[in-house]
Amino acid sequence: MEQFNLTFLATSQAAGKALAGVVSSGDLEVLFDAGSGDMLEVDITTSVNNSRARWEALFGRLMQLGRLPAGKMLIHDAGATPGVARIRIEQVFEEVGYAT
């Protein structure tokens, strides 16, 4: 089990809260609470040790696409693939995007 925090410069604003996924074998849960600042704070708890570089790369790709709203994100990972992780993260961003 590994826990770490990442912080990124936000590229957009959103409103509200969102949840995507469930914690179970091979999946993950993403909770997002939009904020008014200019940072996206991400707290990750994962069953995959030494995965920080993988998460940094995933958020780096999302940042290049301009898809990081300001706020606080909690991720509870049970070994999801990078593709599943990206889908869940984009689902919460889409949900709070409709709230604005």
Side-chain angles (χ1 to χ4, degrees):
M1 185 70 84
E2 185 174 43
Q3 294 181 314
F4 52 91
N5 303 325
L6 303 173
T7 304
F8 302 95
L9 184 61
T11 56
S12 65
Q13 295 292 315
K17 297 180 181 188
L19 164 69
V22 295
V23 180
S24 64
S25 178
D27 208 344
L28 79 157
E29 171 184 68
V30 179
L31 298 98
F32 180 74
D33 187 7
S36 59
D38 61 353
M39 301 301 288
L40 171 63
E41 296 176 35
V42 184
D43 292 331
I44 299 171
T45 302
T46 179
S47 63
V48 181
N49 290 329
N50 302 313
S51 64
R52 184 183 187 103
R54 178 175 62 101
W55 285 101
E56 289 173 340
L58 179 101
F59 278 96
R61 285 191 298 275
L62 291 171
M63 194 165 51
Q64 288 176 343
L65 298 171
R67 296 185 181 166
L68 296 182
K72 178 79 171 170
M73 178 177 286
L74 300 175
I75 296 175
H76 303 113
D77 176 30
T81 65
V84 170
R86 181 173 173 169
I87 288 169
R88 297 291 180 244
I89 292 166
E90 288 182 342
Q91 285 173 328
V92 296
F93 290 166
E94 181 178 13
E95 190 171 330
V96 295
Y98 287 126
T100 57

Coordinates of all heavy atoms in Angstrom, one line a residue:
M1 N 0.9 -1.2 0.0 CA 0.0 0.0 0.0 C 0.9 1.2 0.0 O 1.9 1.3 0.7 CB -0.9 0.0 1.2 CG -1.9 1.1 1.3 SD -3.2 0.9 0.1 CE -4.3 -0.1 0.9
E2 N 0.5 2.2 -0.8 CA 1.3 3.4 -0.9 C 0.4 4.6 -0.9 O -0.7 4.5 -1.5 CB 2.1 3.3 -2.2 CG 3.1 4.5 -2.4 CD 3.9 4.3 -3.7 OE1 3.4 3.9 -4.7 OE2 5.1 4.6 -3.6
Q3 N 0.8 5.7 -0.3 CA 0.0 6.9 -0.3 C 1.0 8.1 -0.7 O 2.1 8.1 -0.2 CB -0.6 7.2 1.1 CG -1.6 6.2 1.5 CD -2.2 6.5 2.8 OE1 -1.5 6.8 3.8 NE2 -3.5 6.5 2.9
F4 N 0.5 9.0 -1.5 CA 1.3 10.2 -1.9 C 0.4 11.3 -2.4 O -0.8 11.0 -2.7 CB 2.4 9.9 -2.9 CG 2.0 9.1 -4.1 CD1 1.6 9.8 -5.2 CD2 1.9 7.7 -4.1 CE1 1.1 9.2 -6.3 CE2 1.5 7.1 -5.3 CZ 1.1 7.8 -6.4
N5 N 0.9 12.5 -2.4 CA 0.2 13.7 -2.9 C 0.9 14.2 -4.1 O 2.1 14.3 -4.2 CB 0.1 14.7 -1.8 CG -0.5 14.2 -0.5 OD1 -1.4 13.4 -0.6 ND2 0.0 14.7 0.6
L6 N 0.1 14.7 -5.0 CA 0.6 15.4 -6.2 C -0.2 16.8 -6.3 O -1.3 16.9 -5.9 CB 0.3 14.6 -7.5 CG 0.9 13.2 -7.5 CD1 0.4 12.5 -8.8 CD2 2.4 13.2 -7.5
T7 N 0.5 17.8 -6.8 CA -0.1 19.1 -7.0 C 0.2 19.6 -8.4 O 1.3 19.5 -8.9 CB 0.4 20.1 -6.0 OG1 0.2 19.6 -4.7 CG2 -0.3 21.4 -6.1
F8 N -0.8 20.1 -9.1 CA -0.7 20.6 -10.5 C -1.3 21.9 -10.6 O -2.3 22.2 -9.9 CB -1.3 19.6 -11.5 CG -0.8 18.2 -11.4 CD1 -1.4 17.3 -10.6 CD2 0.4 17.9 -12.1 CE1 -0.9 16.0 -10.5 CE2 0.9 16.6 -12.0 CZ 0.2 15.6 -11.2
L9 N -0.8 22.7 -11.5 CA -1.4 24.0 -11.9 C -2.7 23.7 -12.6 O -2.7 23.0 -13.6 CB -0.5 24.9 -12.7 CG -1.0 26.3 -13.1 CD1 -1.2 27.1 -11.8 CD2 0.0 26.9 -14.0
A10 N -3.8 24.2 -12.1 CA -5.1 24.0 -12.8 C -5.3 24.8 -14.0 O -4.7 25.9 -14.1 CB -6.3 24.3 -11.8
T11 N -6.0 24.3 -15.0 CA -6.1 25.0 -16.3 C -7.6 25.4 -16.5 O -7.8 26.0 -17.5 CB -5.7 24.1 -17.4 OG1 -6.4 22.9 -17.4 CG2 -4.2 23.8 -17.4
S12 N -8.4 25.2 -15.6 CA -9.8 25.6 -15.7 C -10.5 25.6 -14.3 O -10.0 25.2 -13.3 CB -10.6 24.6 -16.6 OG -10.7 23.3 -16.1
Q13 N -11.7 26.1 -14.3 CA -12.5 26.2 -13.1 C -13.8 25.3 -13.3 O -14.2 25.0 -14.4 CB -13.0 27.6 -12.8 CG -11.9 28.6 -12.5 CD -11.2 28.3 -11.2 OE1 -11.9 28.0 -10.2 NE2 -9.9 28.3 -11.2
A14 N -14.3 24.8 -12.2 CA -15.5 23.9 -12.2 C -16.2 24.2 -11.0 O -15.8 25.0 -10.1 CB -15.1 22.5 -12.3
A15 N -17.4 23.5 -10.8 CA -18.2 23.7 -9.6 C -18.7 22.4 -9.2 O -19.0 21.5 -10.0 CB -19.3 24.7 -9.9
G16 N -18.9 22.2 -7.9 CA -19.6 21.0 -7.4 C -18.6 19.9 -7.0 O -17.4 20.1 -6.9
K17 N -19.2 18.7 -6.8 CA -18.5 17.5 -6.4 C -18.9 16.4 -7.3 O -20.0 16.4 -7.9 CB -18.9 17.1 -4.9 CG -18.5 18.2 -3.9 CD -18.9 17.7 -2.5 CE -18.5 18.8 -1.5 NZ -18.7 18.4 -0.2
A18 N -18.0 15.4 -7.4 CA -18.3 14.3 -8.3 C -17.6 13.0 -7.8 O -16.6 13.1 -7.1 CB -17.8 14.6 -9.7
L19 N -18.2 11.9 -8.1 CA -17.6 10.6 -7.7 C -17.7 9.6 -9.0 O -18.8 9.6 -9.7 CB -18.5 10.0 -6.6 CG -18.3 8.5 -6.3 CD1 -16.9 8.2 -5.8 CD2 -19.4 8.0 -5.4
A20 N -16.7 8.9 -9.2 CA -16.7 7.9 -10.3 C -16.0 6.7 -9.9 O -14.9 6.7 -9.2 CB -16.0 8.5 -11.6
G21 N -16.5 5.5 -10.2 CA -15.9 4.2 -9.9 C -16.1 3.7 -8.5 O -16.8 4.4 -7.7
V22 N -15.7 2.5 -8.3 CA -15.8 1.9 -6.9 C -14.4 1.2 -6.7 O -13.7 0.8 -7.6 CB -16.9 0.9 -6.8 CG1 -18.3 1.6 -6.9 CG2 -16.8 -0.2 -7.9
V23 N -14.1 1.1 -5.4 CA -12.8 0.4 -5.1 C -13.2 -1.1 -5.0 O -13.9 -1.6 -4.2 CB -12.3 0.9 -3.7 CG1 -11.0 0.1 -3.4 CG2 -12.1 2.4 -3.7
S24 N -12.6 -1.8 -5.9 CA -12.7 -3.3 -6.0 C -11.6 -3.8 -6.8 O -10.7 -3.0 -7.3 CB -14.1 -3.7 -6.5 OG -14.2 -3.3 -7.9
S25 N -11.5 -5.1 -7.0 CA -10.4 -5.7 -7.7 C -10.2 -5.1 -9.1 O -11.1 -5.1 -9.9 CB -10.6 -7.2 -7.8 OG -9.6 -7.8 -8.5
G26 N -9.1 -4.5 -9.3 CA -8.8 -3.9 -10.7 C -9.4 -2.6 -11.0 O -9.5 -2.2 -12.2
D27 N -10.0 -1.9 -10.1 CA -10.7 -0.6 -10.4 C -10.2 0.4 -9.4 O -9.4 0.2 -8.5 CB -12.2 -0.8 -10.4 CG -12.9 0.2 -11.3 OD1 -12.3 1.2 -11.7 OD2 -14.1 0.0 -11.6
L28 N -10.8 1.6 -9.5 CA -10.5 2.6 -8.5 C -11.7 3.6 -8.4 O -12.6 3.6 -9.2 CB -9.3 3.4 -8.9 CG -9.4 4.5 -10.0 CD1 -8.3 5.5 -9.9 CD2 -9.4 3.9 -11.4
E29 N -11.6 4.4 -7.3 CA -12.6 5.3 -7.0 C -12.0 6.7 -7.0 O -10.9 6.9 -6.5 CB -13.1 5.1 -5.6 CG -14.0 6.1 -5.0 CD -14.4 5.8 -3.6 OE1 -13.5 5.8 -2.7 OE2 -15.6 5.5 -3.3
V30 N -12.6 7.7 -7.7 CA -12.1 9.0 -7.8 C -13.2 9.9 -7.2 O -14.4 9.9 -7.7 CB -11.8 9.4 -9.2 CG1 -11.3 10.9 -9.3 CG2 -10.8 8.5 -9.8
L31 N -12.9 10.7 -6.2 CA -13.8 11.7 -5.7 C -13.1 13.1 -5.9 O -11.9 13.3 -5.7 CB -13.9 11.6 -4.1 CG -14.5 10.2 -3.7 CD1 -13.4 9.3 -3.3 CD2 -15.4 10.4 -2.6
F32 N -13.9 14.0 -6.4 CA -13.4 15.4 -6.7 C -14.3 16.4 -6.1 O -15.6 16.4 -6.2 CB -13.4 15.5 -8.3 CG -12.9 16.9 -8.7 CD1 -11.5 17.2 -8.5 CD2 -13.7 17.8 -9.2 CE1 -11.1 18.5 -8.9 CE2 -13.3 19.1 -9.5 CZ -11.9 19.4 -9.4
D33 N -13.7 17.4 -5.5 CA -14.4 18.6 -5.0 C -13.8 19.8 -5.6 O -12.6 20.1 -5.4 CB -14.2 18.6 -3.5 CG -15.1 19.7 -2.8 OD1 -15.9 20.3 -3.4 OD2 -14.9 19.8 -1.5
A34 N -14.6 20.5 -6.5 CA -14.0 21.7 -7.2 C -13.7 22.8 -6.2 O -14.3 22.9 -5.2 CB -15.1 22.2 -8.2
G35 N -12.7 23.5 -6.6 CA -12.2 24.7 -5.7 C -12.1 25.9 -6.6 O -12.1 25.9 -7.8
S36 N -11.8 27.0 -5.9 CA -11.8 28.3 -6.6 C -10.3 28.8 -6.8 O -10.1 29.8 -7.4 CB -12.5 29.4 -5.8 OG -12.0 29.5 -4.5
G37 N -9.4 28.0 -6.4 CA -8.0 28.4 -6.5 C -7.4 28.1 -7.9 O -8.2 28.0 -8.9
D38 N -6.1 28.0 -8.0 CA -5.5 27.7 -9.3 C -4.7 26.4 -9.2 O -3.8 26.2 -10.1 CB -4.6 28.9 -9.7 CG -3.5 29.2 -8.7 OD1 -3.4 28.5 -7.6 OD2 -2.6 30.0 -9.0
M39 N -5.0 25.6 -8.3 CA -4.2 24.3 -8.1 C -5.2 23.1 -8.1 O -6.3 23.2 -7.6 CB -3.4 24.3 -6.9 CG -2.4 25.4 -6.8 SD -1.2 25.4 -8.1 CE -0.2 24.0 -7.7
L40 N -4.7 22.0 -8.6 CA -5.4 20.7 -8.4 C -4.5 19.9 -7.5 O -3.4 19.6 -7.8 CB -5.6 20.0 -9.7 CG -6.1 18.5 -9.6 CD1 -7.5 18.5 -9.0 CD2 -6.0 17.9 -11.0
E41 N -5.1 19.5 -6.3 CA -4.4 18.7 -5.3 C -4.9 17.3 -5.4 O -6.2 17.1 -5.4 CB -4.6 19.3 -3.9 CG -4.0 20.7 -3.7 CD -4.3 21.2 -2.3 OE1 -4.3 20.4 -1.4 OE2 -4.5 22.4 -2.2
V42 N -4.1 16.3 -5.5 CA -4.5 14.9 -5.7 C -3.8 14.1 -4.6 O -2.6 14.1 -4.5 CB -4.0 14.4 -7.1 CG1 -4.5 13.0 -7.3 CG2 -4.5 15.3 -8.2
D43 N -4.7 13.4 -3.8 CA -4.2 12.5 -2.8 C -4.5 11.1 -3.3 O -5.7 10.8 -3.6 CB -4.9 12.7 -1.5 CG -4.6 14.0 -0.8 OD1 -3.4 14.5 -1.1 OD2 -5.4 14.6 -0.1
I44 N -3.5 10.3 -3.4 CA -3.6 8.9 -4.0 C -3.3 7.9 -3.0 O -2.2 8.0 -2.3 CB -2.7 8.8 -5.2 CG1 -3.1 9.8 -6.3 CG2 -2.8 7.3 -5.8 CD1 -2.2 9.9 -7.5
T45 N -4.1 6.9 -2.8 CA -3.9 5.7 -2.0 C -4.0 4.6 -3.0 O -5.0 4.4 -3.6 CB -4.9 5.5 -0.9 OG1 -4.8 6.7 0.0 CG2 -4.6 4.3 -0.1
T46 N -2.9 3.8 -3.1 CA -2.9 2.7 -4.2 C -2.3 1.4 -3.6 O -1.5 1.4 -2.7 CB -2.1 3.1 -5.4 OG1 -2.1 2.1 -6.3 CG2 -0.7 3.6 -5.0
S47 N -2.8 0.3 -4.1 CA -2.3 -1.0 -3.7 C -1.0 -1.3 -4.5 O -0.4 -2.4 -4.3 CB -3.3 -2.1 -4.0 OG -3.7 -2.2 -5.3
V48 N -0.7 -0.5 -5.5 CA 0.5 -0.7 -6.3 C 1.7 0.1 -5.8 O 1.7 1.3 -6.0 CB 0.2 -0.4 -7.8 CG1 1.4 -0.7 -8.7 CG2 -1.1 -1.1 -8.3
N49 N 2.7 -0.5 -5.3 CA 3.8 0.2 -4.8 C 4.7 0.7 -5.9 O 4.7 0.2 -7.0 CB 4.7 -0.7 -3.9 CG 4.0 -1.0 -2.6 OD1 3.3 -0.2 -2.1 ND2 4.2 -2.2 -2.1
N50 N 5.4 1.8 -5.7 CA 6.3 2.5 -6.6 C 5.5 2.9 -7.9 O 6.1 2.8 -9.0 CB 7.4 1.5 -7.0 CG 8.2 1.1 -5.8 OD1 8.6 2.0 -5.0 ND2 8.5 -0.2 -5.6
S51 N 4.3 3.4 -7.7 CA 3.6 3.8 -8.9 C 3.5 5.4 -9.1 O 2.8 5.8 -9.9 CB 2.1 3.3 -8.8 OG 1.4 3.8 -7.7
R52 N 4.2 6.1 -8.3 CA 4.1 7.6 -8.4 C 4.4 8.1 -9.8 O 3.7 9.0 -10.3 CB 5.1 8.2 -7.4 CG 5.0 9.7 -7.3 CD 6.0 10.3 -6.4 NE 5.8 11.7 -6.2 CZ 5.2 12.3 -5.2 NH1 4.8 11.6 -4.2 NH2 5.0 13.6 -5.2
A53 N 5.5 7.5 -10.4 CA 5.9 8.0 -11.8 C 4.7 7.7 -12.8 O 4.5 8.6 -13.6 CB 7.1 7.3 -12.2
R54 N 4.0 6.6 -12.6 CA 2.9 6.3 -13.5 C 1.8 7.4 -13.4 O 1.2 7.9 -14.3 CB 2.4 4.9 -13.2 CG 1.2 4.5 -14.1 CD 0.8 3.1 -13.8 NE 0.3 2.9 -12.4 CZ -0.9 2.8 -12.0 NH1 -1.9 2.9 -12.9 NH2 -1.2 2.5 -10.8
W55 N 1.5 7.7 -12.1 CA 0.4 8.7 -11.9 C 0.9 10.1 -12.3 O 0.1 10.9 -12.9 CB 0.1 8.8 -10.4 CG -0.8 7.6 -10.0 CD1 -0.4 6.5 -9.4 CD2 -2.2 7.4 -10.3 NE1 -1.4 5.6 -9.2 CE2 -2.5 6.2 -9.7 CE3 -3.1 8.2 -10.9 CZ2 -3.8 5.7 -9.8 CZ3 -4.4 7.7 -11.0 CH2 -4.8 6.5 -10.4
E56 N 2.1 10.5 -12.1 CA 2.6 11.8 -12.6 C 2.5 11.8 -14.1 O 2.2 12.9 -14.7 CB 4.1 12.0 -12.2 CG 4.2 12.3 -10.7 CD 5.6 12.3 -10.2 OE1 6.5 11.8 -10.9 OE2 5.8 12.9 -9.1
A57 N 2.9 10.7 -14.8 CA 2.8 10.7 -16.3 C 1.3 10.8 -16.7 O 1.0 11.6 -17.7 CB 3.4 9.4 -16.8
L58 N 0.4 10.2 -16.0 CA -1.0 10.3 -16.4 C -1.5 11.7 -16.3 O -2.2 12.2 -17.2 CB -1.9 9.3 -15.6 CG -3.3 9.4 -15.9 CD1 -3.7 8.2 -16.7 CD2 -4.2 9.4 -14.6
F59 N -1.2 12.3 -15.2 CA -1.7 13.7 -15.0 C -1.0 14.7 -15.9 O -1.5 15.7 -16.3 CB -1.6 14.1 -13.5 CG -2.8 13.7 -12.7 CD1 -2.7 12.5 -12.0 CD2 -3.9 14.4 -12.7 CE1 -3.8 12.1 -11.2 CE2 -5.0 14.0 -12.0 CZ -4.9 12.8 -11.2
G60 N 0.3 14.4 -16.2 CA 1.0 15.2 -17.2 C 0.3 15.2 -18.6 O 0.2 16.2 -19.2
R61 N -0.2 14.0 -19.0 CA -0.9 13.9 -20.3 C -2.2 14.7 -20.2 O -2.6 15.4 -21.1 CB -1.2 12.5 -20.6 CG 0.1 11.7 -21.1 CD -0.2 10.4 -21.8 NE -0.8 9.4 -20.8 CZ -0.1 8.6 -20.0 NH1 1.2 8.7 -20.0 NH2 -0.8 7.8 -19.2
L62 N -2.9 14.6 -19.1 CA -4.2 15.3 -18.9 C -3.9 16.8 -18.9 O -4.7 17.6 -19.5 CB -4.9 14.9 -17.6 CG -5.5 13.5 -17.6 CD1 -5.9 13.1 -16.2 CD2 -6.6 13.4 -18.6
M63 N -2.8 17.2 -18.3 CA -2.4 18.7 -18.3 C -2.2 19.2 -19.7 O -2.5 20.3 -20.0 CB -1.2 18.9 -17.3 CG -1.0 20.3 -17.0 SD 0.1 20.6 -15.6 CE 1.5 19.6 -16.0
Q64 N -1.5 18.4 -20.5 CA -1.2 18.8 -21.9 C -2.5 19.0 -22.7 O -2.5 19.8 -23.6 CB -0.3 17.8 -22.6 CG 1.1 17.7 -22.1 CD 1.9 16.6 -22.7 OE1 1.3 15.7 -23.3 NE2 3.2 16.7 -22.6
L65 N -3.6 18.3 -22.3 CA -4.8 18.4 -23.0 C -5.7 19.6 -22.4 O -6.8 19.9 -22.9 CB -5.6 17.1 -22.9 CG -5.0 15.9 -23.6 CD1 -5.7 14.6 -23.2 CD2 -4.9 16.1 -25.1
G66 N -5.2 20.2 -21.3 CA -5.9 21.3 -20.7 C -7.1 20.9 -20.0 O -8.1 21.6 -20.0
R67 N -7.0 19.8 -19.2 CA -8.2 19.2 -18.6 C -8.0 19.1 -17.1 O -8.5 18.2 -16.5 CB -8.5 17.8 -19.1 CG -8.8 17.8 -20.6 CD -9.2 16.5 -21.0 NE -9.5 16.5 -22.4 CZ -9.7 15.4 -23.1 NH1 -9.5 14.2 -22.6 NH2 -10.0 15.5 -24.4
L68 N -7.4 20.1 -16.4 CA -7.2 20.0 -15.0 C -7.9 21.1 -14.3 O -7.4 22.3 -14.2 CB -5.7 20.0 -14.6 CG -4.9 18.8 -15.1 CD1 -3.5 19.0 -14.6 CD2 -5.5 17.5 -14.7
P69 N -9.1 20.9 -13.8 CA -9.8 22.0 -13.0 C -9.3 22.1 -11.6 O -8.7 21.2 -11.1 CB -11.3 21.5 -13.0 CG -11.2 20.0 -13.1 CD -10.0 19.7 -13.9
A70 N -9.4 23.3 -11.0 CA -9.0 23.5 -9.7 C -9.8 22.7 -8.7 O -11.0 22.6 -8.9 CB -9.0 25.0 -9.4
G71 N -9.2 22.2 -7.6 CA -9.9 21.5 -6.6 C -9.1 20.5 -5.9 O -7.8 20.5 -6.0
K72 N -9.8 19.6 -5.2 CA -9.2 18.5 -4.4 C -9.7 17.2 -5.0 O -10.9 17.0 -5.1 CB -9.5 18.7 -3.0 CG -9.0 17.7 -2.0 CD -7.6 17.9 -1.7 CE -7.2 16.9 -0.6 NZ -5.8 16.9 -0.3
M73 N -8.8 16.3 -5.2 CA -9.1 15.0 -5.7 C -8.6 13.9 -4.8 O -7.4 13.9 -4.4 CB -8.6 14.8 -7.2 CG -8.9 13.4 -7.8 SD -8.3 13.3 -9.5 CE -9.5 14.3 -10.3
L74 N -9.4 12.9 -4.5 CA -9.0 11.7 -3.8 C -9.1 10.5 -4.7 O -10.2 10.3 -5.3 CB -9.9 11.5 -2.5 CG -9.9 12.6 -1.5 CD1 -10.9 12.3 -0.4 CD2 -8.5 12.8 -0.9
I75 N -8.1 9.7 -4.8 CA -8.1 8.5 -5.6 C -7.7 7.3 -4.7 O -6.7 7.4 -4.0 CB -7.1 8.6 -6.7 CG1 -7.5 9.8 -7.7 CG2 -7.0 7.3 -7.5 CD1 -6.5 10.0 -8.8
H76 N -8.6 6.3 -4.7 CA -8.4 5.1 -4.0 C -8.3 4.0 -5.1 O -9.3 3.6 -5.7 CB -9.6 4.8 -3.1 CG -9.8 5.9 -2.1 ND1 -10.9 6.6 -2.1 CD2 -9.0 6.3 -1.1 CE1 -10.8 7.5 -1.1 NE2 -9.7 7.3 -0.5
D77 N -7.0 3.5 -5.3 CA -6.7 2.7 -6.4 C -6.5 1.2 -5.9 O -5.8 1.0 -5.0 CB -5.5 3.2 -7.1 CG -5.0 2.3 -8.2 OD1 -5.8 1.6 -8.9 OD2 -3.7 2.3 -8.5
A78 N -7.2 0.3 -6.6 CA -7.0 -1.1 -6.3 C -6.3 -1.8 -7.5 O -6.7 -3.0 -7.8 CB -8.4 -1.8 -6.0
G79 N -5.4 -1.2 -8.1 CA -4.6 -1.8 -9.2 C -5.2 -1.6 -10.6 O -5.0 -2.4 -11.5
A80 N -5.9 -0.5 -10.8 CA -6.5 -0.2 -12.1 C -5.4 0.1 -13.1 O -4.4 0.6 -12.8 CB -7.4 1.1 -12.0
T81 N -5.8 -0.2 -14.3 CA -4.8 0.1 -15.4 C -4.8 1.6 -15.7 O -5.8 2.3 -15.3 CB -5.3 -0.6 -16.7 OG1 -6.5 -0.1 -17.2 CG2 -5.4 -2.1 -16.5
P82 N -3.8 2.1 -16.3 CA -3.8 3.6 -16.6 C -5.0 4.0 -17.5 O -5.5 5.1 -17.3 CB -2.5 3.7 -17.4 CG -1.6 2.7 -16.9 CD -2.5 1.5 -16.7
G83 N -5.5 3.2 -18.3 CA -6.7 3.5 -19.1 C -7.9 3.7 -18.3 O -8.7 4.6 -18.5
V84 N -8.1 2.8 -17.4 CA -9.3 2.9 -16.4 C -9.1 4.1 -15.6 O -10.1 4.8 -15.3 CB -9.4 1.6 -15.6 CG1 -10.4 1.8 -14.5 CG2 -9.8 0.4 -16.5
A85 N -7.9 4.3 -15.1 CA -7.7 5.5 -14.2 C -8.0 6.8 -15.0 O -8.7 7.7 -14.4 CB -6.2 5.5 -13.7
R86 N -7.6 6.9 -16.2 CA -7.9 8.1 -17.0 C -9.4 8.2 -17.2 O -9.9 9.4 -17.1 CB -7.2 8.0 -18.3 CG -7.4 9.3 -19.2 CD -6.6 9.3 -20.4 NE -7.0 10.4 -21.2 CZ -6.3 10.8 -22.3 NH1 -5.2 10.2 -22.6 NH2 -6.7 11.9 -23.0
I87 N -10.1 7.2 -17.5 CA -11.5 7.2 -17.7 C -12.2 7.7 -16.5 O -13.1 8.6 -16.5 CB -12.1 5.9 -18.1 CG1 -11.7 5.5 -19.5 CG2 -13.6 5.8 -18.0 CD1 -12.0 4.1 -19.9
R88 N -11.9 7.2 -15.3 CA -12.5 7.6 -14.1 C -12.2 9.1 -13.8 O -13.1 9.9 -13.3 CB -12.1 6.8 -12.9 CG -12.4 5.3 -13.0 CD -13.9 5.1 -12.9 NE -14.2 3.7 -13.0 CZ -15.0 3.2 -14.0 NH1 -15.5 4.0 -14.9 NH2 -15.2 1.9 -14.0
I89 N -11.0 9.5 -14.0 CA -10.7 10.9 -13.7 C -11.4 11.9 -14.7 O -12.0 12.9 -14.3 CB -9.1 11.2 -13.9 CG1 -8.4 10.4 -12.7 CG2 -8.8 12.6 -13.9 CD1 -6.9 10.3 -12.9
E90 N -11.5 11.5 -16.0 CA -12.2 12.3 -16.9 C -13.7 12.3 -16.6 O -14.4 13.3 -16.9 CB -12.0 11.8 -18.3 CG -10.6 12.2 -18.8 CD -10.2 11.8 -20.2 OE1 -10.9 10.9 -20.8 OE2 -9.3 12.3 -20.7
Q91 N -14.3 11.2 -16.1 CA -15.7 11.2 -15.7 C -16.0 12.2 -14.6 O -17.0 12.9 -14.7 CB -16.1 9.8 -15.2 CG -16.2 8.8 -16.3 CD -16.4 7.3 -15.8 OE1 -16.0 7.0 -14.7 NE2 -17.2 6.6 -16.6
V92 N -15.2 12.3 -13.6 CA -15.5 13.3 -12.6 C -15.3 14.8 -13.1 O -16.1 15.6 -12.8 CB -14.7 13.1 -11.3 CG1 -15.0 11.8 -10.6 CG2 -13.2 13.3 -11.5
F93 N -14.3 14.9 -14.0 CA -14.1 16.3 -14.6 C -15.3 16.6 -15.5 O -15.8 17.7 -15.5 CB -12.8 16.3 -15.5 CG -11.6 16.3 -14.7 CD1 -10.4 16.1 -15.3 CD2 -11.6 16.6 -13.3 CE1 -9.2 16.1 -14.6 CE2 -10.4 16.6 -12.6 CZ -9.2 16.3 -13.2
E94 N -15.9 15.6 -16.2 CA -17.0 15.9 -17.0 C -18.2 16.2 -16.2 O -19.0 17.2 -16.5 CB -17.3 14.7 -17.9 CG -18.5 14.9 -18.8 CD -18.8 13.6 -19.7 OE1 -18.2 12.6 -19.4 OE2 -19.6 13.8 -20.6
E95 N -18.4 15.5 -15.1 CA -19.6 15.8 -14.2 C -19.5 17.2 -13.6 O -20.5 17.9 -13.6 CB -19.6 14.7 -13.1 CG -20.9 14.8 -12.3 CD -21.1 13.6 -11.3 OE1 -20.6 12.5 -11.6 OE2 -21.7 13.8 -10.3
V96 N -18.4 17.6 -13.1 CA -18.3 18.9 -12.5 C -18.3 20.0 -13.6 O -18.7 21.1 -13.4 CB -17.1 19.1 -11.6 CG1 -17.2 18.3 -10.4 CG2 -15.8 19.0 -12.3
G97 N -18.0 19.6 -14.8 CA -18.0 20.6 -16.0 C -19.5 20.9 -16.3 O -19.7 22.1 -16.7
Y98 N -20.4 20.0 -16.1 CA -21.8 20.3 -16.3 C -22.4 21.2 -15.3 O -23.4 21.8 -15.5 CB -22.6 19.0 -16.4 CG -22.4 18.2 -17.7 CD1 -22.0 16.9 -17.7 CD2 -22.5 18.9 -18.9 CE1 -21.8 16.2 -18.8 CE2 -22.3 18.1 -20.1 CZ -22.0 16.8 -20.0 OH -21.7 16.1 -21.2
A99 N -21.7 21.3 -14.1 CA -22.3 22.1 -13.0 C -22.0 23.6 -13.2 O -22.6 24.4 -12.5 CB -21.7 21.6 -11.7
T100 N -21.1 23.9 -14.1 CA -20.7 25.3 -14.2 C -21.7 26.1 -15.1 O -22.5 25.5 -15.9 CB -19.3 25.5 -14.8 OG1 -19.2 24.8 -16.1 CG2 -18.3 25.0 -13.8

